[in-house]
Amino acid sequence: MRQKFYKLFFFCLFISLQSFSADPYMGGYLQLSRTSSNNYTLNLHLYVSQAEQNNANNLANGLLTSNFVAKIYRKRDNADVTSDANATGLLNLTPRSLTGTSFNYPSPPACSNPNDLKSTDILLSSNITLDPTKFNDIQGYYVVAETCCRNQTLANVQNPGNESMLFYLSFSPSTITNSTPVIRQPVGSYFCLNNSVTLALPASDADGDQLDYSLGTPYRGYSTPTAPLVLPALNNPPEVAWASGFNATSPLPSTPAVSINTSNGNISFKATSVGVYAITLIVKERRGGSILSETHLEYQIIVKDCGTPERPRIFLEGGNPTVHVNPLQLCTNSFRVLETQANPNYTYTWYHNNIAVPNSNTNKLRINATGDYKVTVNDPTASCLNTQTSADTRVLPLVGITLNTSTSLGNTICENQAPGTLSATISGGNANDYSFSWSIDGTNFNSNQNVPYRISGTYRILVTQNAIPNCTYDKEEVIVVNPLPVATINNITGKTSACDGEKVQLEAITEATSTFIWKKDGINFSTNTQIDITTTGNYSLTVTSDKNCVKNAPDVKIDVYPIPVVNFAPISPFCSTANSQKDLTSLVQPQASGGVFSGKGMSGSVFNPILAGYGRWPITYTFTSSDGCSNSATSDAVVDITPVVKLGNDLTIYRGDAIKINAGGSQGADFTYTWSPTDGLATPIEFSPMASPTATTTYVLEVSSTRSNCKASADIVVNVFPKLKIPNTFTPNSDRINDTWEIEGVEEYPEIEVKIFNRWGNEIFYSQGYKQPFNAIKDDQKYPSGTYYYVIKPNVNLPAETGYLTIVR
């Protein structure tokens, strides 16, 4: 009974990189042998054909038995339990021997020498452990292995060359205490057509359990020659698709029908058609009504025709094949074709006057000489008397005509030449008494005496006599029509016009065996594969093949235009973003619709410092001529901040003193400073210099930006006054010498304030202006001798002078 299961994962055992001879695998089956408690050997009996030497070599080298693996699954849920039997989770099947056990082939009734049939049973094994505590599921387990692909000549399976072969063995927990059956090696895989045959495939069981036999449908996997490793999900073991007219119980054409003895596995048949047929034998092991195991064996039956080949007959090609013709007439200079019956299994040898004709290995022979002819056929599939020879056919002479052919342009031309003419002429007869048939490489195309030729090929004229004996003559002319060379101009840059300084690259595309020449305006230009075009002209390419055929590529016209000269005058700096916008058109040449300004702050031709912001901005003017050639010039637009300068209030100093002019505003490396005048300035390029003018001076500071030359200025007055010479004593004793306190320089200070205090801090003298010097007398009272304190304020811009004054009387 077919075991149902939800999902089957298996490995396709296929050596994808090896090139084996056709169909090395003929079948096989899986078997478990118990070696000791819980220990088993999983065996794969693999039937391998060695009919071809390559298969024998590959088998000897281990290529047909490498990388075979198997997997174990639980039926209840299709779980992969291989790791419970082998820690690797994969059962590697390795060969015990590469020689195996050879099959014994039967002999047909008469005699046999089947040297072309050699097959071997190779045993591949893997040691595993089946622990009863792990393999105890009552629904049982199954083992699968796979190889791709089947014999592509199988007659009873659809598309066998793409169908992989699946080996299947199921077992129950009870099997863990015993072994599964061993099926006897098949005795022969070669059987004669229409012979009654019994193929015995009995199995033996080491435990003496009951065995039942039945025929089934071969299982297949999902691997293909191009996809050797797959993991499909399957609801049931997939079966092959039988070819029309075949099924599990009728796997080959047989009269009477194929039958199987369900008790001993004997399969009986009488094949009615030659071919290769796949069968599947199912062996079920029972104990007490329960199925312990189910083994599927696949095997290929080869049916051959073992009879004697039919004696060959010789007849004229197209004549009656049932009558051996003797004698025949052959006209001089003509030919005839002798023929014998065709069979794909036969090999042929023709004889002329008892001498083998070289290379006469088909069922037809063209003859052009008189004499005796016979043919021998050999059928390698026949077991007895596989060689037969025909009776002789005598060929007698007859006067004939002479056939000649000629060509108008010779046998070798170029394809661009006008078609030539092939002419057939005969001598020794009237052309009206003959039929003409021209063919090119075996294909008829014309029945005239004279025909055109324009393509390469073997032109054959067949001239047949219209009356008996219908002599046939032929002649061949080999015509070679050489193709024109490849002649293509590849415009690498894809342009047909350029500007001065640019290049248009053209490339000659042709075969390596051709030669070529470039021309410019009809004059030889270059023989380089690639040329650079820098000047206007018509460029052409002429290519000559190694057969001296010439082809011209279509001309390419290239125009090269001058590049316009573009000027851009300097742009005056913008010293503040508040400055008005400026149209730059007047600064560029040429001024035309083809000109475009670009850069930050540009709107059309107008530069807007507000849009640009502070900084130095390159403005580019690009002009494109009507020929499409462009050039550009660049000028910088500088938007800068106007410098700031502050000098504060005017300053006042005494003549001979120095004072620092503290300036405020823009400072740093981006600015320069210029003072004017420079008289009295220690460093007239500093921001805050020391000033010591000898007279009152107005100084101007100009601050300039090094980025833009934007400027700002401010001025300051440094007032210069003479210093007062104040005596610290005088003698008001009326001797008219030093009678008053004389202050030198006081006349320069008309607003001077002079105050004198006694030692008690009482003011004894005050003067606004000093027109009347202090004489130490007030109200006719003389101040006594002594020391007094004075405060002198020259003007509002100068500090007060203080000190002590001594009056001496």
Side-chain angles (χ1 to χ4, degrees), residues 505-588:
Q505 278 194 320
L506 301 182
E507 180 183 25
I509 304 297
T510 187
E511 297 95 339
T513 56
S514 299
T515 59
F516 57 87
I517 186 73
W518 290 95
K519 294 183 180 181
K520 176 190 175 185
D521 298 330
I523 300 174
N524 289 352
F525 178 68
S526 176
T527 57
N528 293 331
T529 300
Q530 293 182 357
I531 58 173
D532 295 335
I533 307 303
T534 58
T535 57
T536 298
N538 286 306
Y539 294 85
S540 61
L541 177 68
T542 298
V543 180
T544 303
S545 72
D546 58 345
K547 307 300 182 184
N548 210 35
C549 294
V550 178
K551 184 177 181 180
N552 294 311
D555 291 3
V556 176
K557 186 177 185 303
I558 305 296
D559 293 309
V560 180
Y561 300 108
I563 295 176
V565 178
V566 178
N567 295 309
F568 197 156
I571 304 172
S572 299
F574 296 82
C575 294
S576 171
T577 58
N579 287 8
S580 53
Q581 303 174 19
K582 182 176 179 61
D583 190 325
L584 305 182
T585 302
S586 62
L587 302 179
V588 297

Side-chain angles (χ1 to χ4, degrees), residues 234 267 709 762:
L234 306 171
I267 302 173
N709 204 31
N762 297 322

Side-chain angles (χ1 to χ4, degrees), residues 719-741:
N719 295 292
V720 179
F721 293 93
K723 279 189 176 183
L724 296 175
K725 291 185 179 180
I726 304 172
N728 57 9
T729 185
F730 75 100
T731 58
N733 55 8
S734 300
D735 60 358
R736 296 184 179 181
I737 300 172
N738 200 25
D739 284 337
T740 60
W741 190 36

Side-chain angles (χ1 to χ4, degrees), residues 128-199:
I128 61 175
T129 300
L130 298 179
D131 187 342
T133 63
K134 296 181 179 179
F135 291 87
N136 57 8
D137 192 283
I138 192 170
Q139 294 187 32
Y141 303 85
Y142 56 88
V143 186
V144 290
E146 183 183 0
T147 184
C148 183
C149 292
R150 283 184 168 83
N151 189 329
Q152 61 186 355
T153 64
L154 286 176
N156 60 345
V157 174
Q158 294 183 24
N159 197 23
N162 287 327
E163 295 281 4
S164 63
M165 190 179 298
L166 183 68
F167 304 105
Y168 177 86
L169 167 68
S170 67
F171 61 89
S172 69
S174 301
T175 307
I176 296 190
T177 61
N178 67 350
S179 301
T180 64
V182 176
I183 302 174
R184 191 178 77 181
Q185 177 183 318
V187 179
S189 62
Y190 153 48
F191 304 96
C192 290
L193 186 68
N194 298 319
N195 277 10
S196 295
V197 173
T198 297
L199 174 62

Side-chain angles (χ1 to χ4, degrees), residues 595-613:
V596 176
F597 289 92
S598 62
K600 192 169 184 180
M602 291 303 301
S603 178
S605 63
V606 176
F607 178 78
N608 188 332
I610 295 177
L611 291 177

Side-chain angles (χ1 to χ4, degrees), residues 746 750-756 763-774 791-793:
V746 72
E751 302 299 324
I752 191 170
E753 288 185 348
V754 179
K755 295 178 182 180
I756 301 175
E763 184 181 290
I764 63 169
F765 179 81
Y766 173 79
S767 175
Q768 177 75 43
Y770 199 64
K771 295 181 179 179
Q772 189 65 42
F774 177 54
V791 176
I792 300 174
K793 180 70 171 171

Side-chain angles (χ1 to χ4, degrees), residues 404-431:
N404 292 296
T405 57
S406 61
T407 61
S408 63
L409 297 176
N411 290 63
T412 302
I413 61 174
C414 297
E415 65 180 4
N416 62 340
Q417 292 179 260
T421 300
L422 269 170
S423 300
T425 58
I426 62 176
S427 59
N430 190 333

Side-chain angles (χ1 to χ4, degrees), residues 438-470:
W438 287 93
S439 64
I440 303 176
D441 296 331
T443 301
N444 294 335
F445 79 100
N446 201 299
S447 59
N448 296 322
Q449 272 189 267
N450 303 317
V451 295
Y453 64 94
R454 55 171 57 88
I455 63 174
S456 296
T458 299
Y459 288 71
R460 182 187 181 212
I461 178 67
L462 189 67
V463 178
T464 304
Q465 189 177 17
N466 296 328
I468 295 175
N470 305 114

